[in-house]
Amino acid sequence: MPTKDDWIAAGLDALAEGGEGAIRVDRLAAQLGVTKGSFHHHFRGAAALRAEVLESFRQSREELAKDIGRGVDDMSADEALEYLATLIARVPDDRLDRAVRSWALVDEQARAAQDDIDAQQLAALEAIWRRIVPGEHARTAALIPFLALVGASATTAVDREDIEAVLRMLAQEAHHVPNIIARL
Protein backbone atom coordinates (compact mmCIF):
# COMPACT_ATOMS: atom_id res chain seq x y z
CA MET A 1 0.00 0.00 0.00
CA PRO A 2 1.38 3.42 -0.92
CA THR A 3 2.43 5.72 1.88
CA LYS A 4 1.31 9.30 2.26
CA ASP A 5 4.66 10.34 0.79
CA ASP A 6 4.02 8.11 -2.24
CA TRP A 7 0.72 9.90 -2.86
CA ILE A 8 2.42 13.29 -2.51
CA ALA A 9 5.24 12.29 -4.87
CA ALA A 10 2.68 11.08 -7.41
CA GLY A 11 0.82 14.37 -6.95
CA LEU A 12 4.02 16.33 -7.63
CA ASP A 13 4.61 14.30 -10.79
CA ALA A 14 1.04 14.94 -11.91
CA LEU A 15 1.43 18.65 -11.15
CA ALA A 16 4.60 18.85 -13.24
CA GLU A 17 3.00 16.97 -16.12
CA GLY A 18 -0.44 18.57 -16.24
CA GLY A 19 -0.85 21.34 -13.72
CA GLU A 20 -2.96 21.49 -10.59
CA GLY A 21 -5.97 19.98 -12.37
CA ALA A 22 -4.00 16.79 -12.98
CA ILE A 23 -3.81 16.06 -9.25
CA ARG A 24 -6.78 13.71 -9.37
CA VAL A 25 -7.29 10.86 -6.95
CA ASP A 26 -8.53 8.40 -9.58
CA ARG A 27 -5.52 9.02 -11.85
CA LEU A 28 -3.04 8.84 -9.00
CA ALA A 29 -4.61 5.65 -7.63
CA ALA A 30 -4.31 4.04 -11.07
CA GLN A 31 -0.71 5.20 -11.34
CA LEU A 32 0.07 3.79 -7.90
CA GLY A 33 -1.77 0.57 -8.70
CA VAL A 34 -4.27 0.84 -5.85
CA THR A 35 -7.90 1.69 -5.26
CA LYS A 36 -9.07 5.10 -4.17
CA GLY A 37 -9.74 3.58 -0.74
CA SER A 38 -6.05 3.69 0.18
CA PHE A 39 -6.10 7.42 -0.58
CA HIS A 40 -8.68 8.01 2.14
CA HIS A 41 -6.41 6.28 4.62
CA HIS A 42 -4.04 9.27 4.31
CA PHE A 43 -6.16 12.27 3.22
CA ARG A 44 -9.57 13.79 3.88
CA GLY A 45 -10.25 14.55 0.25
CA ALA A 46 -8.56 15.80 -2.88
CA ALA A 47 -8.17 19.33 -1.47
CA ALA A 48 -6.06 17.92 1.38
CA LEU A 49 -3.84 16.11 -1.10
CA ARG A 50 -3.40 19.27 -3.20
CA ALA A 51 -2.49 21.21 -0.04
CA GLU A 52 0.10 18.57 0.89
CA VAL A 53 1.53 18.59 -2.64
CA LEU A 54 1.81 22.38 -2.51
CA GLU A 55 3.43 22.23 0.93
CA SER A 56 5.92 19.63 -0.27
CA PHE A 57 6.83 21.85 -3.21
CA ARG A 58 7.20 24.88 -0.94
CA GLN A 59 9.42 22.99 1.49
CA SER A 60 11.66 21.68 -1.30
CA ARG A 61 12.17 25.16 -2.72
CA GLU A 62 12.77 26.64 0.73
CA GLU A 63 15.39 23.98 1.41
CA LEU A 64 17.03 24.84 -1.90
CA ALA A 65 17.13 28.54 -0.99
CA LYS A 66 18.59 27.76 2.45
CA ASP A 67 21.17 25.46 0.89
CA ILE A 68 22.15 28.10 -1.64
CA GLY A 69 22.59 30.70 1.11
CA ARG A 70 24.61 28.43 3.40
CA GLY A 71 28.20 29.65 3.78
CA VAL A 72 27.78 32.74 1.61
CA ASP A 73 28.63 35.17 4.41
CA ASP A 74 32.14 33.73 4.61
CA MET A 75 32.87 34.08 0.88
CA SER A 76 35.09 36.66 -0.73
CA ALA A 77 33.82 38.54 -3.78
CA ASP A 78 35.78 36.23 -6.09
CA GLU A 79 34.46 33.13 -4.33
CA ALA A 80 30.91 34.47 -4.58
CA LEU A 81 31.34 35.07 -8.31
CA GLU A 82 32.58 31.50 -8.77
CA TYR A 83 29.72 30.24 -6.63
CA LEU A 84 27.17 31.88 -8.94
CA ALA A 85 28.34 29.63 -11.76
CA THR A 86 27.86 26.50 -9.65
CA LEU A 87 24.21 27.33 -9.00
CA ILE A 88 23.26 26.34 -12.54
CA ALA A 89 23.28 22.69 -11.53
CA ARG A 90 20.75 23.44 -8.81
CA VAL A 91 18.08 24.91 -11.09
CA PRO A 92 14.96 22.89 -10.31
CA ASP A 93 12.45 21.27 -12.66
CA ASP A 94 10.98 24.17 -14.63
CA ARG A 95 7.81 22.19 -15.39
CA LEU A 96 6.97 22.06 -11.70
CA ASP A 97 7.77 25.75 -11.21
CA ARG A 98 5.64 26.63 -14.23
CA ALA A 99 2.74 24.57 -12.88
CA VAL A 100 2.86 26.17 -9.43
CA ARG A 101 3.17 29.69 -10.87
CA SER A 102 0.11 28.97 -13.01
CA TRP A 103 -1.73 27.57 -10.01
CA ALA A 104 -0.80 30.68 -8.01
CA LEU A 105 -2.73 32.82 -10.49
CA VAL A 106 -6.03 31.24 -9.44
CA ASP A 107 -5.47 29.98 -5.89
CA GLU A 108 -4.66 32.05 -2.81
CA GLN A 109 -2.76 29.26 -1.00
CA ALA A 110 -0.62 28.60 -4.07
CA ARG A 111 0.01 32.34 -4.44
CA ALA A 112 1.08 32.64 -0.79
CA ALA A 113 3.41 29.65 -1.17
CA GLN A 114 4.89 31.06 -4.39
CA ASP A 115 5.38 34.47 -2.78
CA ASP A 116 7.25 32.85 0.14
CA ILE A 117 9.41 30.82 -2.24
CA ASP A 118 10.20 33.86 -4.39
CA ALA A 119 11.15 35.93 -1.36
CA GLN A 120 13.49 33.24 -0.04
CA GLN A 121 15.13 32.57 -3.40
CA LEU A 122 15.64 36.27 -4.03
CA ALA A 123 17.09 36.71 -0.52
CA ALA A 124 19.56 33.87 -1.17
CA LEU A 125 20.69 35.50 -4.43
CA GLU A 126 20.93 38.88 -2.71
CA ALA A 127 23.17 37.38 -0.03
CA ILE A 128 25.55 36.19 -2.75
CA TRP A 129 25.53 39.54 -4.53
CA ARG A 130 26.18 41.45 -1.28
CA ARG A 131 29.58 39.74 -1.30
CA ILE A 132 30.26 41.14 -4.79
CA VAL A 133 28.68 44.60 -5.01
CA PRO A 134 27.76 47.35 -2.53
CA GLY A 135 24.70 46.35 -0.51
CA GLU A 136 22.39 48.92 -2.08
CA HIS A 137 22.90 47.26 -5.47
CA ALA A 138 22.66 43.63 -4.35
CA ARG A 139 18.92 43.34 -4.89
CA THR A 140 19.09 44.71 -8.43
CA ALA A 141 21.96 42.37 -9.31
CA ALA A 142 20.06 39.43 -7.77
CA LEU A 143 16.97 40.26 -9.81
CA ILE A 144 18.79 39.52 -13.07
CA PRO A 145 19.12 35.72 -12.65
CA PHE A 146 15.92 35.58 -10.57
CA LEU A 147 13.81 37.22 -13.27
CA ALA A 148 15.46 35.08 -15.94
CA LEU A 149 14.29 31.99 -14.05
CA VAL A 150 10.80 33.39 -13.44
CA GLY A 151 10.53 34.27 -17.12
CA ALA A 152 11.68 30.80 -18.10
CA SER A 153 9.04 29.26 -15.86
CA ALA A 154 6.36 31.30 -17.64
CA THR A 155 6.99 29.86 -21.09
CA THR A 156 7.27 26.54 -22.85
CA ALA A 157 9.37 28.11 -25.62
CA VAL A 158 12.60 27.31 -23.77
CA ASP A 159 13.94 24.09 -22.35
CA ARG A 160 16.40 23.30 -19.59
CA GLU A 161 19.37 23.63 -21.96
CA ASP A 162 18.24 27.16 -22.87
CA ILE A 163 17.86 28.11 -19.22
CA GLU A 164 21.28 26.71 -18.37
CA ALA A 165 22.85 28.55 -21.33
CA VAL A 166 21.38 31.87 -20.15
CA LEU A 167 22.54 31.29 -16.59
CA ARG A 168 26.03 30.30 -17.79
CA MET A 169 26.22 33.50 -19.81
CA LEU A 170 25.06 35.56 -16.82
CA ALA A 171 27.59 33.85 -14.56
CA GLN A 172 30.40 34.50 -17.07
CA GLU A 173 29.49 38.18 -17.26
CA ALA A 174 28.84 38.64 -13.53
CA HIS A 175 32.39 39.88 -12.90
CA HIS A 176 31.50 43.01 -14.95
CA VAL A 177 28.65 44.00 -12.63
CA PRO A 178 30.81 45.82 -10.03
CA ASN A 179 32.32 47.98 -12.82
CA ILE A 180 28.87 48.73 -14.24
CA ILE A 181 27.59 49.71 -10.81
CA ALA A 182 30.61 51.97 -10.23
CA ARG A 183 29.54 53.97 -13.32
CA LEU A 184 25.98 54.49 -12.04
Side-chain angles (χ1 to χ4, degrees):
M1 181 156 100
T3 66
K4 184 176 183 177
D5 288 343
D6 293 332
W7 281 97
I8 294 169
L12 285 166
D13 289 343
L15 178 61
E17 292 298 321
E20 182 266 339
I23 305 172
R24 294 189 32 197
V25 176
D26 56 341
R27 287 184 186 170
L28 298 180
Q31 179 186 337
L32 293 168
V34 296
T35 66
K36 291 192 290 187
S38 75
F39 166 81
H40 295 290
H41 176 73
H42 301 291
F43 302 97
R44 290 186 171 185
L49 171 62
R50 284 191 295 279
E52 291 277 351
V53 166
L54 184 60
E55 180 60 17
S56 178
F57 173 78
R58 186 187 63 76
Q59 286 178 0
S60 72
R61 294 310 189 256
E62 286 179 358
E63 282 302 314
L64 177 63
K66 286 177 189 174
D67 189 41
I68 287 170
R70 214 170 266 121
V72 169
D73 291 339
D74 298 327
M75 291 181 187
S76 69
D78 289 339
E79 290 169 330
L81 281 167
E82 288 178 31
Y83 184 55
L84 282 171
T86 70
L87 296 180
I88 296 165
R90 294 184 176 181
V91 173
D93 182 349
D94 60 311
R95 298 171 310 138
L96 196 50
D97 285 315
R98 184 178 304 115
V100 173
R101 284 193 185 283
S102 178
W103 189 3
L105 294 173
V106 296
D107 181 270
E108 193 171 315
Q109 285 182 309
R111 183 175 26 259
Q114 188 63 65
D115 288 348
D116 288 345
I117 292 164
D118 286 347
Q120 290 180 18
Q121 290 177 345
L122 188 53
L125 288 168
E126 270 186 77
I128 297 167
W129 278 101
R130 274 194 302 276
R131 308 306 299 164
I132 303 166
V133 299
E136 67 269 18
H137 298 289
R139 182 175 175 82
T140 302
L143 282 168
I144 297 167
F146 176 78
L147 292 174
L149 288 171
V150 170
S153 73
T155 182
T156 58
V158 298
D159 59 19
R160 182 159 180 99
E161 287 181 12
D162 293 328
I163 296 166
E164 289 178 1
V166 167
L167 293 176
R168 270 193 302 280
M169 182 196 68
L170 290 174
Q172 288 171 350
E173 299 304 319
H175 69 280
H176 293 296
V177 173
N179 295 331
I180 294 168
I181 288 172
R183 294 190 306 250
L184 295 179

